[in-house]
Amino acid sequence: MLCIDGVTGVGKTTQIGMYRNLLRSQNKDHKLFMFEEVDETSETNTQLIEITEYLRENPESIALCDGSMATDIADDMANNMLQDDIWDKHQSNLQRYAAMSSEFNIVNILLTPTDFDMCQKRLDKRCNVFGGEEVNIENVEHLKRTSAILKRFDDSILTTNISFHNIEVSPDDSMLDVHAKIKEIVKKA
């Protein structure tokens, strides 16, 4: 199982697409799951159950997750929620995620930008290339706090039984550069 997460515009969906293409080229069975940012932890629980059931029914398959629980938790931290409140809110899902990590060897990648203008430029480029609705990053300071928390997420007391790998993404990094780093982490897992 591979989860790629990060703040808006850092390139997580692009990386999932690239990894999905790699799996297709190798004829490896896989399924894409989208972790939506949600307020209700019950929705995250439903997503985790769905992924677990899929992997148990398809043990040779790979679950690719666009997102993870990390951004929801980091967002709560960036909103200055107290650690005890965060634990109370996310405890059962963190425990489920830790059990899944143990059972299915989840590789968690967190992409963190070194330049936040880059995120908006990538969103603009995606809109120009693929069409669709224009997305504007509204609160850059909140995005910066969330990203800083994600960068240190592996050291969090909340995630002691779950491993996260951080990849810093700079404007000089091509999507292929980032993809190579992800492949290296997956190879070592």
Side-chain angles (χ1 to χ4, degrees):
M1 181 172 164
L2 173 63
C3 295
I4 300 179
D5 203 354
V7 296
T8 303
V10 75
K12 63 186 173 289
T13 301
T14 300
Q15 290 304 322
I16 283 290
M18 292 174 76
Y19 211 85
R20 192 171 196 196
N21 289 338
L22 175 66
L23 292 174
R24 283 179 179 149
S25 73
Q26 297 173 350
N27 293 316
K28 291 196 177 180
D29 190 31
H30 64 281
K31 183 174 180 180
L32 176 64
F33 293 90
M34 303 291 286
F35 264 94
E36 302 293 331
E37 288 186 46
V38 294
D39 291 328
E40 296 298 320
T41 56
S42 62
E43 293 176 49
T44 301
N45 185 52
T46 300
Q47 292 172 323
L48 294 174
I49 290 170
E50 180 184 352
I51 295 166
T52 300
E53 288 173 353
Y54 172 77
L55 288 171
R56 285 185 180 149
E57 291 170 7
N58 302 280
E60 298 301 315
S61 187
I62 297 170
L64 289 177
C65 300
D66 188 336
S68 72
M69 292 182 56
T71 298
D72 281 342
I73 296 168
D75 187 58
D76 284 343
M77 290 175 166
N79 285 326
N80 298 316
M81 185 182 279
L82 297 175
Q83 184 169 326
D84 288 344
D85 293 337
I86 291 171
W87 176 247
D88 288 344
K89 179 178 178 181
H90 297 281
Q91 177 183 6
S92 73
N93 286 339
L94 280 165
Q95 289 170 338
R96 181 179 299 280
Y97 203 75
M100 288 173 65
S101 187
S102 175
E103 184 176 353
F104 303 116
N105 189 30
I106 301 175
V107 178
N108 294 289
I109 309 283
L110 301 175
L111 303 177
T112 55
T114 60
D115 179 319
F116 292 87
D117 290 336
M118 170 192 75
C119 294
Q120 185 63 58
K121 288 176 185 171
R122 287 187 174 170
L123 289 172
D124 293 343
K125 183 177 179 181
R126 183 169 58 190
C127 182
N128 289 335
V129 171
F130 298 110
E133 200 172 310
E134 198 171 296
V135 178
N136 289 311
I137 297 173
E138 294 177 12
N139 189 339
V140 174
E141 289 308 311
H142 181 76
L143 193 72
K144 287 179 180 178
R145 284 194 308 273
T146 302
S147 186
I149 292 165
L150 287 174
K151 191 181 292 189
R152 298 185 314 272
F153 205 72
D154 196 46
D155 297 326
S156 170
I157 193 167
L158 297 170
T159 60
T160 53
N161 297 318
I162 312 167
S163 181
F164 291 83
H165 304 274
N166 180 59
I167 297 175
E168 288 188 347
V169 181
S170 78
D172 296 334
D173 292 325
S174 72
M175 287 289 102
L176 289 174
D177 294 334
V178 176
H179 187 63
K181 292 175 186 179
I182 291 171
K183 286 187 345 185
E184 191 61 33
I185 290 170
V186 170
K187 185 177 170 183
K188 291 178 182 177

